[in-house]
């Protein structure tokens, strides 16, 4: 038993809390140990044997039969806008998540620069709900977020796509030296404001127009300890080449790399995750700091516009909508989507999932939701590609989809790897519709389906991947462990009952089996109900 510095004598009336009789998962990956946890001042003071603090004055929380673990860290979230909403985003806190890493896949809500401010606002509307844009720099954005307050702790990344858009717009061109310097200065300003790194989204405009050298030059500007997180260029037939590029960026830039939502899309590519993990393991042995994350589902989700070829996506929303109104452009795109793979190697989501594998999940009007493109084509009396075009035109590009292109055996393989963390990758809050159920159930699903029911990995190891590993990777100081001096972000759950509750047609259900969630020593969730106070904080990288 060890004691944190500055501990006051037990028995004083200084606000001690005792969690008694818990099965303690300390986040380190070792066996669970039955014990009591002593808290004060929002931090863990000591962990002892059952009954060790019976004489302590203060609140006692009985936890017999429950596992108490560090609060979970969602390493791949898109809840950048959560602090700006009047409604409270409880989708993660109800899962036991106390910290979210936001700004993934190259998307962040700052910085904005003239003359491309309206382009970013319009582009963000493809995936985010309407926002009131009142900021420009990343520091200004964070001031707005701070004013709104945080349901969970907030660890932001700056998006490479947003940096590129601020300087170049959505253009299929390489930056010249001046433009790259301007992007770098915006990155430096975001670092100064307190981001944890930079993300890229290399299947999305404008990131898909960038080259490896551009990404290396920007990643080199990240201080030691910050992260380059990447939605790679290809997760299908060119998965291995995309892994190689991510590793190359990390090696050349000397920066830590996080491979986002590792998967193999498309039946012909199932099993390729083994080779991807082999490459990542080799890079680790060679000294590249690289990890990966996964979500525990065999379907993915993103914006419907990614079904269109890269050339179709150049320019802002109005340029894309103009092409959708142009019969020649639509015919050319349809030929590329349905025909042989183009020489540039672009695959798109239709090639990996088929039209029946694309379900409309969320739209601006909430029309079309819950049906796949074959079903919609039958309703509309058109071919499936024309149904895709119809939905995008009708919804002014504000359409998200769920994609059936993965294999659960691959999910098992990635989940079982010791360098894998967990990320929800859910849609931003406030979108509505039928978003992928990972928004509501990712972490309980790991603990229920993949730990308890299927034994893909053990409970202590799963908890370590949700807590201490992401805390080390992203530099979340004082979080991710149950140990003296750590912040008392904790979750208590029944290991026999914890489970996700939603599905793809009816996703919006909170999980079951979570007894309570604590943030800095204060109860935020009790018996599956959020208690109404935004107790989270914006985190900053450790010095």
């Amino acid at each position: 038993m060890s004691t944190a510095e500055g501990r006051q004598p037990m028995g004083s009336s200084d606000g001690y809390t005792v969690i008694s009789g818990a099965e303690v998962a300390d986040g380190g990956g070792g066996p669970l140990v039955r014990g009591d946890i002593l808290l004060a001042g929002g931090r863990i003071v000591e962990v002892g044997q059952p009954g060790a603090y019976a004489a302590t004055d203060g609140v006692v929380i009985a936890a017999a039969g429950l596992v108490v673990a560090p609060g979970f860290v969602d390493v791949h979230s898109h809840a950048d806008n959560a602090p700006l909403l009047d409604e409270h985003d409880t989708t993660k806190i109800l899962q036991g998540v106390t910290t979210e890493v936001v700004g993934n896949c190259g998307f962040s809500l700052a910085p904005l620069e003239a003359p491309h401010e309206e382009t970013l606002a319009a582009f963000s509307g493809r995936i985010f709900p309407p926002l009131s844009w009142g900021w420009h720099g990343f520091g200004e954005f964070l001031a707005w977020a701070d004013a709104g307050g945080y349901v969970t702790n907030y660890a932001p990344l700056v998006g490479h796509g947003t940096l590129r858009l601020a300087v170049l717009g959505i253009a299929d061109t390489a930056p010249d030296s001046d433009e790259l310097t301007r992007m770098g200065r915006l990155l430096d300003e975001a670092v100064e404001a307190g981001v944890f790194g930079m993300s890229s989204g290399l299947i999305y405009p404008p990131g898909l127009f960038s080259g490896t050298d551009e990404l290396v030059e920007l990643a080199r500007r990240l201080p030691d300890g910050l992260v380059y997180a990447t939605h790679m260029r290809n997760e299908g037939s060119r998965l291995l080449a995309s892994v190689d590029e991510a590793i190359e960026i990390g090696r050349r830039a000397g920066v830590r790399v996080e491979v986002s939502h590792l998967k193999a899309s498309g039946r012909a590519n199932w099993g390729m995750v083994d080779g991807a993990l082999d490459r990542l393991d080799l890079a680790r042995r060679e000294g590249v700091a690289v990890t990966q994350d996964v979500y525990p589902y065999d379907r993915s989700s993103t914006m419907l516009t990614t079904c269109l070829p890269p050339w179709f996506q150049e320019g802002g929303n109005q340029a894309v909508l103009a092409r959708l109104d142009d019969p020649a452009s639509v015919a050319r795109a349809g030929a590329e989507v349905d025909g042989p793979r183009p020489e540039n190697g672009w695959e798109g989501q239709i090639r990996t999932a088929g039209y029946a594998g694309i379900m409309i999940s969320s739209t601006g009007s909430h029309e079309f939701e819950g049906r796949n493109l074959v079903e919609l084509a039958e309703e509309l009396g058109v071919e499936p590609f024309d149904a895709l075009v119809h939905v995008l035109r009708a919804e002014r590009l504000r359409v998200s989809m769920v994609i059936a292109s993965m294999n659960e055996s691959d999910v098992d393989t990635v989940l079982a790897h010791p360098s894998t963390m967990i990320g929800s990758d859910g849609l931003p809050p406030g979108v509505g519709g039928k978003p992928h159920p990972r928004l509501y159930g990712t972490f309980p699903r790991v603990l229920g389906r993949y730990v308890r029911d299927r034994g893909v990995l053990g409970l202590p190891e799963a908890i370590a991947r949700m807590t201490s590993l992401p805390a080390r990777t992203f530099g979340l100081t004082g979080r991710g462990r149950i140990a003296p001096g750590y912040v008392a972000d904790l979750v208590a759950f029944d290991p026999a009952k914890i489970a996700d509750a939603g599905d793809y047609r009816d996703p919006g259900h909170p999980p079951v089996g979570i007894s309570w969630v604590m943030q800095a020593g204060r109860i935020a969730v009790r018996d599956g109900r959020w208690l109404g106070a935004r107790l989270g904080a914006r985190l900053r990288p450790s010095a």
Side-chain angles (χ1 to χ4, degrees), residues 321-370:
L321 288 167
R323 293 184 189 105
L324 289 171
D325 286 336
D326 174 41
S329 294
V330 169
R332 178 186 167 191
E336 291 186 18
V337 168
D338 291 333
R341 183 178 288 109
E343 290 183 4
N344 63 10
W346 174 79
E347 289 179 310
Q349 307 293 351
I350 301 301
R351 199 175 303 280
T352 58
Y355 289 104
I358 304 291
M359 186 193 83
I360 306 300
S361 59
S362 298
T363 68
S365 71
H366 300 303
E367 290 292 319
F368 311 111
E369 294 171 347

Side-chain angles (χ1 to χ4, degrees), residues 23-28 30-33 67-70 459-460 463 467 481-482 493:
E23 296 297 323
V24 180
D26 69 2
L32 275 60
V33 177
V67 173
V68 175
L459 180 60
I463 290 172
T467 57
R481 293 293 302 271
I482 297 179
F493 62 91

Side-chain angles (χ1 to χ4, degrees), residues 407-459:
N407 177 23
E408 189 169 42
S409 178
D410 283 350
V411 176
D412 292 348
T413 298
V414 179
L415 192 58
H417 192 280
S419 294
T420 297
M421 294 173 284
I422 310 301
S424 67
D425 197 17
L427 285 180
V431 172
K434 298 180 184 294
H436 193 299
R438 64 194 183 187
L439 179 65
Y440 305 92
T442 289
F443 290 80
R445 183 175 174 88
V446 170
L447 297 172
R449 178 174 178 80
Y450 289 89
V451 171
R452 181 190 60 235
D453 299 342
R454 299 187 59 237
V456 174
L457 69 170
L459 180 60

Side-chain angles (χ1 to χ4, degrees), residues 489-514:
D489 288 351
L490 303 171
V491 56
F493 62 91
D494 185 337
K497 296 180 179 178
I498 192 167
D500 60 318
D503 58 31
Y504 296 104
R505 300 283 179 169
D506 186 21
H509 298 279
V512 297
I514 292 180

Side-chain angles (χ1 to χ4, degrees), residues 242-321:
S242 297
V243 169
D244 289 343
E245 181 187 35
I247 293 168
E248 178 186 351
I249 292 167
R251 181 178 284 115
R252 289 172 58 190
V255 69
R256 176 178 289 278
V257 175
E258 174 68 11
V259 173
S260 298
H261 41 60
L262 181 60
K263 66 174 76 70
S265 293
R267 181 178 293 273
N269 307 311
W270 291 353
M272 202 178 289
V273 295
D274 296 279
L277 290 169
D278 288 344
R279 278 169 156 78
L280 292 167
D281 284 338
L282 177 60
R284 282 183 274 266
R285 291 193 297 271
E286 293 175 344
V288 180
V290 58
T291 46
Q292 65 273 344
D293 58 72
V294 71
Y295 45 79
Y297 297 86
D298 60 3
R299 299 186 191 185
S300 59
S301 179
T302 190
M303 58 184 75
L304 188 64
T305 50
T306 61
C307 294
L308 299 171
W311 62 267
F312 208 105
Q313 300 185 54
E314 187 176 10
N317 281 17
Q318 292 306 313
V320 176
L321 288 167

Side-chain angles (χ1 to χ4, degrees), residues 139-170:
E140 291 179 340
F141 166 70
L142 291 177
W144 276 67
D146 290 347
Y150 303 95
V151 173
T152 59
N153 299 322
Y154 192 85
L157 305 171
V158 63
H160 161 260
T162 306
L163 297 172
R164 196 177 212 275
L165 193 156
V167 174
L168 294 171
I170 304 180

